[in-house]
């Protein structure tokens, strides 16, 4: 059953001057809010290891932001923006980025009324300030053709170009990093490095997993020296992360599905730490990936394969409720977390897989019972957003306002380039 949650109940006043337009000069010099056992305090991010519990597994999202915004010009002079979302042909990210000559992507179109059909050409001159290889940027002739037109995120565009460039190189040469629209500025040279985590590896996101932007080599070394193990998942963040909730109730909001990838090695470690320690998620994308694993495992038990996780699946009427009446995110059909994770491992072993690729559209809202994540590192999120609902579900309905009030009263910087928080969870199975 979909929870009846009024989105206006999750609002707060966020002054424009509290939104961080740019990152601080040093990644790990941002403030760190610490919430534990109902108490709020603060420190500096470079000291985060001192607050992390021993005997823990830290999981971060190793996705890499791609320069997905491309600007084209029609013969009439009209400028069309093509914001690449995910590959269509080839549908695999790795294969699409390796494509030479042509490929197709789903895209958001800017000024789409001016583009009904036909081919359009890339504007090359704008990007020379943002690209070190100016000669390539001037020489590349990139064309785009509108294959099909759908809703805002269902347009299909075919790109074609001459030469031996891969599509990954084409984007590096011609594209802009898609910084969040609420920054109200254009992409700058500094964003190429700073809107990317230090450990970003796998290309595919159109938005950064911003909780990871604070980490430096020094911080990662301190965490390792404390004996905390580190592993990764991959969730490619889609443009849906920027879509505001426009419906009165959260039940009217549509979450877009995103591709995830997890290794067998991680699943084995999660089983180990479920029994003996804690799991620390770096960011809401890592959290959504980890929490989705339970439902993938249920699918493996009941259907024989992981399938995909639907938005409202955690709120099924068939759950075994082992919490207060308002709790809607308990165990499905009595299947334990350990049995669920073991089922994914079994599925992978039967199919000779070392990693599992799937899609999740999970939404986490108050009443959800966390199954994997014990501790969360995250930034401060927009009012009336799905991410704020996720935070409320994690720390408890009565505490998120206290945390955000403390951050506002103590000059914390908000949103993607803002400060960080370390939250110890409340609702956990």
């Amino acid at each position: 059953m979909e929870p009846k949650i009024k989105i206006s109940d999750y609002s707060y006043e966020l002054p424009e001057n509290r939104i961080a337009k740019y990152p601080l000069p040093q990644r790990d010099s941002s403030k760190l809010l610490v919430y534990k056992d109902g108490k709020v305090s603060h420190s500096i991010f470079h000291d985060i290891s001192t607050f992390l519990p021993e005997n823990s597994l830290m999981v971060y999202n190793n996705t890499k932001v791609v320069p997905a915004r491309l600007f084209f010009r029609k013969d009439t002079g009209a400028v069309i923006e093509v914001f690449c979302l995910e590959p269509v042909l080839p549908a695999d990210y790795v294969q699409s980025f390796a494509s030479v000559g042509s490929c197709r992507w789903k895209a958001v179109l800017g000024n789409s009324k001016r583009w009904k059909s036909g081919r359009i050409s890339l504007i090359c001159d704008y990007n020379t300030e943002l690209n070190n290889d100016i000669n390539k940027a001037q020489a590349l002739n990139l064309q785009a053709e509108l294959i099909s037109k759908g809703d805002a995120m269902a347009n299909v565009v075919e790109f074609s170009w001459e030469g031996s460039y891969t599509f990954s190189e084409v984007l590096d040469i011609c594209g802009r990093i898609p910084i969040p629209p609420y920054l109200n500025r254009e992409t700058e040279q500094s964003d190429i490095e700073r809107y990317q985590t230090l450990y970003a590896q796998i290309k595919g996101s159109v938005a950064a997993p911003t909780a990871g932007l604070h980490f430096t080599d020094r911080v990662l070394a301190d965490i390792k020296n404390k004996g905390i193990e580190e592993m990764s998942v991959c969730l490619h963040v889609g443009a849906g992360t920027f879509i505001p909730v426009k419906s009165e109730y959260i039940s009217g909001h549509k979450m877009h599905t995103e591709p995830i990838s997890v290794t067998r090695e991680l699943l084995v470690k999660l089983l180990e730490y479920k029994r003996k320690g804690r799991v620390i998620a770096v960011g809401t994308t890592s959290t959504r990936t980890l929490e989705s694993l339970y439902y993938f495992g249920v699918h493996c038990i009941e259907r024989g394969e992981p399938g995909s996780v639907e938005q409202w699946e955690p709120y099924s009427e068939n759950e075994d409720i082992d919490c207060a009446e308002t709790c809607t995110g308990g165990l499905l059909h009595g299947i334990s977390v350990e049995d669920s994770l073991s089922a994914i491992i079994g599925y992978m072993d039967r199919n000779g897989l070392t990693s599992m690729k799937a899609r999740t559209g999970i939404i986490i809202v108050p009443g959800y019972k966390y199954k994997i994540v014990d501790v969360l590192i995250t930034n401060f999120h927009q009012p009336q957003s799905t991410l704020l609902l996720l935070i409320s579900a994690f720390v408890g309905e009565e505490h998120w306002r206290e945390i955000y009030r403390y951050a506002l009263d103590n000059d914390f910087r908000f949103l993607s380039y803002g400060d960080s928080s370390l939250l110890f969870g409340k609702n956990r199975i």
Side-chain angles (χ1 to χ4, degrees):
M1 180 180 296
E2 298 171 6
K4 193 174 180 64
I5 294 174
K6 200 170 186 178
I7 192 61
S8 60
D9 292 337
Y10 297 85
S11 188
Y12 66 93
E13 185 176 349
L14 177 59
E16 181 70 20
N17 64 3
R18 304 307 294 276
I19 299 175
K21 303 292 185 180
Y22 295 89
L24 294 175
Q26 299 296 324
R27 288 178 182 263
D28 60 7
S29 63
S30 54
K31 290 185 178 181
L32 175 69
L33 181 148
V34 180
Y35 169 80
K36 185 177 182 181
D37 298 330
K39 297 179 181 179
V40 184
S41 61
H42 72 265
S43 181
I44 304 297
F45 193 86
H46 58 60
D47 292 329
I48 190 171
S49 64
T50 63
F51 299 97
L52 298 178
E54 296 181 355
N55 197 28
S56 292
L57 172 67
M58 191 177 78
V59 183
Y60 53 83
N61 185 0
N62 66 4
T63 187
K64 190 171 187 177
V65 182
V66 295
R69 296 179 67 195
L70 297 164
F71 291 83
F72 293 80
R73 178 178 286 137
K74 294 188 65 179
D75 293 338
T76 61
V79 175
I80 309 295
E81 178 183 354
V82 180
F83 185 0
C84 301
L85 296 183
E86 62 178 281
V88 173
L89 187 67
D92 178 78
Y93 279 84
V94 174
Q95 292 179 16
S96 185
F97 286 130
S99 295
V100 175
S102 68
C103 62
R104 291 184 181 184
W105 279 64
K106 284 185 181 179
V108 174
L109 304 180
N111 201 18
S112 61
K113 292 181 180 179
R114 299 292 185 92
W115 191 24
K116 304 295 184 183
S117 61
R119 288 179 175 268
I120 54 178
S121 299
L122 181 73
I123 302 170
C124 287
D125 54 357
Y126 84 92
N127 203 28
T128 54
E129 293 182 1
L130 298 179
N131 198 292
N132 293 326
D133 199 337
I134 297 175
N135 292 328
K136 280 188 178 181
Q138 292 174 336
L140 184 64
N141 180 19
L142 179 63
Q143 304 281 314
E145 182 177 1
L146 186 58
I147 301 300
S148 63
K149 205 164 187 176
D151 63 24
M153 295 192 181
N155 306 288
V156 176
V157 175
E158 181 172 273
F159 300 102
S160 59
W161 62 96
E162 297 179 355
S164 59
Y165 302 119
T166 66
F167 189 60
S168 177
E169 291 172 324
V170 168
L171 291 178
D172 286 340
I173 293 168
C174 302
R176 285 181 184 260
I177 290 290
I179 60 175
Y182 49 68
L183 295 183
N184 293 318
R185 64 174 178 83
E186 289 298 320
T187 303
E188 298 181 16
Q189 182 69 37
S190 61
D191 296 311
I192 296 175
E193 175 188 357
R194 294 302 302 275
Y195 195 62
Q196 201 82 263
T197 63
L198 219 61
Y199 44 72
Q201 291 182 342
I202 304 175
K203 289 186 174 183
S205 279
V206 300
T210 55
L213 297 180
H214 309 277
F215 285 85
T216 60
D217 289 333
R218 172 177 64 169
V219 170
L220 291 171
D222 289 344
I223 291 171
K224 184 177 182 179
N225 289 337
K226 193 169 181 176
I228 294 173
E229 293 195 68
E230 302 167 22
M231 298 194 75
S232 64
V233 295
C234 183
L235 180 147
H236 290 319
V237 188
T241 191
F242 297 135
I243 296 178
V245 179
K246 297 181 179 179
S247 55
E248 182 180 3
Y249 292 91
I250 193 60
S251 57
H253 181 72
K254 172 64 176 176
M255 291 284 286
H256 286 79
T257 62
E258 293 165 312
I260 65 103
S261 177
V262 295
T263 64
R264 184 186 186 282
E265 183 183 7
L266 172 65
L267 292 164
V268 171
K269 281 292 180 184
L270 289 173
L271 266 175
E272 177 185 337
Y273 278 90
K274 276 293 294 182
R275 296 171 179 140
K276 73 167 190 177
R278 294 189 182 186
V279 176
I280 304 167
V282 180
T284 57
T285 58
S286 297
T287 299
R288 291 180 63 240
T289 302
L290 291 171
E291 291 298 314
S292 296
L293 292 178
Y294 172 77
Y295 302 96
F296 288 126
V298 170
H299 294 172
C300 288
I301 292 171
E302 298 185 343
R303 310 173 192 174
E305 60 182 12
S308 61
V309 177
E310 302 301 323
Q311 176 172 340
W312 297 112
E313 190 169 344
Y315 311 92
S316 166
E317 293 183 55
N318 296 321
E319 290 175 343
D320 292 337
I321 306 301
D322 185 23
C323 51
E325 289 184 357
T326 56
C327 175
T328 55
L331 298 176
L332 284 171
H333 313 298
I335 297 173
S336 71
V337 177
E338 289 82 358
D339 286 346
S340 177
L341 294 175
S342 297
I344 303 176
I345 296 171
Y347 165 81
M348 294 173 70
D349 289 346
R350 289 192 300 275
N351 291 276
L353 302 174
T354 58
S355 65
M356 178 191 73
K357 294 183 179 181
R359 298 184 69 89
T360 182
I362 192 173
I363 186 170
I364 297 176
V365 301
Y368 178 86
K369 200 79 168 175
Y370 280 82
K371 299 166 182 63
I372 306 290
V373 179
D374 304 295
V375 182
L376 171 60
I377 299 170
T378 188
N379 287 11
F380 296 92
H381 306 290
Q382 289 181 293
Q384 299 189 32
S385 64
T386 57
L387 300 183
L388 189 57
L389 292 172
L390 181 151
I391 299 303
S392 177
F394 192 71
V395 298
E397 181 71 16
E398 67 275 22
H399 294 301
W400 79 263
R401 286 189 181 277
E402 176 189 357
I403 291 169
Y404 274 63
R405 189 180 304 113
Y406 184 98
L408 288 166
D409 290 345
N410 287 274
D411 297 323
F412 277 68
R413 302 160 73 250
F414 278 61
L415 307 186
S416 294
Y417 276 143
D419 293 317
S420 182
S421 66
L422 173 64
L423 310 176
F424 287 74
K426 178 183 179 182
N427 290 333
R428 178 181 180 275
I429 289 178

